[in-house]
Amino acid sequence: MSDSGEKLENSTDAASLKRAELKSQEIEAAIDKDPSKFRVLTGDRPTGALHLGHYFGTIKNRVTIQQRGVETWILIADYQVITDREGTGPIRERVLNMLADYLACGLDPEKTTIFTHSAVPAANQLMLPFLSLVTEAELHRNPTVKAELEASERPMSGLLLTYPVHQAADILFCKANLVPVGKDQLPHLEQARVISDRFERVFRRKSSLEHRVFPRPEGLLSGDGALILGLDGEKMSKSRGNTVELGMTGDETAKLIKRAKTDAERQITYDPENRPEVSNLLRLAGLASGQDPRTLAEEIGDQGAGKLKQVLTEALDAALSPIRARRAELLADPGYLWQVLERGNQRANEVADQTLAEVRQAMNMVY
């Protein structure tokens, strides 16, 4: 496991990040030429309601990828809810609401496979051979694992320690070769590549299989939507109560925006470094309206924070109204939503069973 080509490195250093950015640009061009070459895997943990951070940071991008013709797989990661907590909470309700949000935002179940962890046992069974391919030291070095441990008051669970391996199983079971990621998620993707390469070296090359079992997944870096903050100017977080949930009404959204943090200057300018709170509201308005936040700042000028919040409220209302209406329709028919999930789970199981069969063949474990 110490081969230089398979060494797990820190993907967040400047050189690695630059390589990831250049690779993302190459992938974008390749998608334009032939989207059929790619299969995307991404998803969310159903720990609470989806909010603007999810919508602008990931979901809009998923809809775009789907519309570009890329085969898209969306995981509702119910098992991963318990990586850093003692229980799942109202998990069934959260899964249903997450599915409604996905569909309301434009994900099409006829084009996109939406499924849950717990319903695909063959995918989770990959954890066993994958864990044999990584060291404890590598798991402890993962930046996300370290950050989660520092933020938690609980002792580290085995599931939290092996979280990157579980994510690798999510990616590799369906043979996804493309994963939309933020910069902080690059180490997880690198772990999946390392596991893919080590499985190839340790098992597949010694078997009768002619081709790799698993691809080497690449990262597609998220855009500016991933940079938005909460309404208080801090990191957007459900626990901080600084988010606008997709399921909120227009009135609820307007009340939250009225309380959003700004500053004492009346002249509105876009200056993320020196005026993060004002700039964040401008960025949100820009994402919602499709306008440059600098242009919005110039138009608002000396009309102050009140005008800024009005512009943001109107932009969000225009962007979210169709989503709210569609979401209400979907939640009024839960039977349809469960059917969508059942079909997605069935498709995921078919692929997972086939992959596990290949894994067992590569490991000489077909009896």
Side-chain angles (χ1 to χ4, degrees):
M1 293 185 186
S2 60
D3 295 19
S4 60
E6 297 176 346
K7 184 178 179 182
L8 184 60
E9 299 176 349
N10 185 352
S11 293
T12 57
D13 62 60
S16 295
L17 182 56
K18 183 63 177 178
R19 287 195 296 270
E21 290 172 344
L22 291 174
K23 188 64 178 179
S24 286
Q25 294 172 10
E26 292 177 9
I27 291 170
E28 289 285 358
I31 290 174
D32 288 336
K33 291 182 179 179
D34 187 1
S36 67
K37 291 183 177 181
F38 298 95
R39 175 180 283 177
V40 163
L41 185 285
T42 185
D44 303 285
R45 295 197 302 168
T47 56
L50 295 182
H51 51 67
L52 290 183
H54 298 111
Y55 179 63
F56 290 123
T58 60
I59 297 176
K60 280 192 71 176
N61 185 48
R62 294 171 192 173
V63 174
T64 299
I65 289 173
Q66 170 193 271
Q67 292 172 338
R68 294 173 72 184
V70 176
E71 183 182 352
T72 306
W73 288 56
I74 307 292
L75 167 65
I76 299 180
D78 52 351
Y79 268 161
Q80 287 182 1
V81 170
I82 55 175
T83 54
D84 55 355
R85 60 197 69 207
E86 294 180 349
T88 61
I91 190 71
R92 183 177 173 86
E93 176 184 325
R94 287 173 176 172
V95 168
L96 187 72
N97 277 275
M98 181 170 284
L99 180 57
D101 284 335
Y102 285 161
L103 301 188
C105 289
L107 289 171
D108 184 349
E110 299 301 320
K111 300 177 181 178
T112 294
T113 301
I114 304 173
F115 66 102
T116 52
H117 258 153
S118 60
V120 192
N124 292 295
Q125 192 171 333
L126 293 178
M127 282 284 285
L128 291 174
F130 285 3
L131 283 169
S132 75
L133 299 171
V134 299
T135 67
E136 181 185 2
E138 287 173 338
L139 294 173
H140 278 289
R141 284 200 299 269
N142 185 279
T144 303
V145 170
K146 290 194 292 186
E148 288 284 350
L149 180 61
E150 292 170 359
S152 176
E153 298 178 356
R154 298 175 58 210
M156 178 181 285
S157 70
L159 189 56
L160 177 56
L161 178 62
T162 58
Y163 186 56
V165 182
H166 203 178
Q167 286 197 322
D170 297 337
I171 296 165
L172 297 176
F173 97 88
C174 67
K175 302 194 177 184
N177 59 1
L178 189 58
V179 183
V181 292
K183 297 174 183 178
D184 60 336
Q185 297 169 313
L186 285 170
H188 289 296
L189 186 58
E190 189 169 331
Q191 182 73 80
R193 283 196 291 264
V194 166
I195 288 173
S196 174
D197 287 341
R198 288 179 182 168
F199 188 90
E200 170 79 3
R201 177 174 61 82
V202 175
F203 298 116
R204 204 285 302 172
R205 289 181 191 172
K206 302 173 184 177
S207 74
S208 60
L209 290 176
E210 296 182 359
H211 305 289
R212 290 182 69 114
V213 175
F214 302 111
R216 299 188 82 251
E218 298 290 347
L220 188 63
L221 287 176
S222 304
D224 291 340
L227 303 176
I228 62 174
L229 304 173
L231 296 178
D232 57 358
E234 302 294 331
K235 181 178 179 180
M236 187 169 284
S237 167
K238 302 169 207 173
S239 61
R240 292 184 62 91
N242 62 359
T243 66
V244 174
E245 298 174 4
L246 297 183
M248 288 179 172
T249 66
D251 288 342
E252 289 171 332
T253 300
K255 289 178 181 177
L256 283 174
I257 293 173
K258 283 183 179 179
R259 300 200 300 267
K261 186 176 180 181
T262 53
D263 57 34
E265 292 186 43
R266 185 165 183 80
Q267 184 73 27
I268 299 300
T269 58
Y270 185 70
D271 185 355
E273 183 175 349
N274 299 307
R275 305 185 70 186
E277 297 91 353
V278 167
S279 298
N280 185 57
L281 298 187
L282 286 165
R283 188 182 298 115
L284 272 172
L287 288 167
S289 64
Q291 295 182 264
D292 189 307
R294 295 172 182 81
T295 301
L296 290 172
E298 292 174 1
E299 292 175 353
I300 296 169
D302 62 358
Q303 297 179 75
K307 181 63 174 179
L308 169 58
K309 292 178 180 180
Q310 178 187 338
V311 168
L312 174 56
T313 300
E314 292 173 353
L316 286 178
D317 191 59
L320 297 181
S321 287
I323 295 173
R324 292 176 185 138
R326 178 58 178 152
R327 186 178 188 277
E329 292 176 1
L330 289 163
L331 288 174
D333 186 5
Y336 168 73
L337 291 172
W338 293 127
Q339 287 176 9
V340 167
L341 191 59
E342 182 181 4
R343 291 199 303 270
N345 287 339
Q346 181 179 355
R347 168 64 174 152
N349 273 288
E350 292 170 356
V351 171
D353 289 343
Q354 177 61 38
T355 299
L356 183 58
E358 293 179 45
V359 166
R360 293 180 64 202
Q361 184 177 350
M363 298 177 72
N364 197 27
M365 289 183 176
V366 178
Y367 313 123

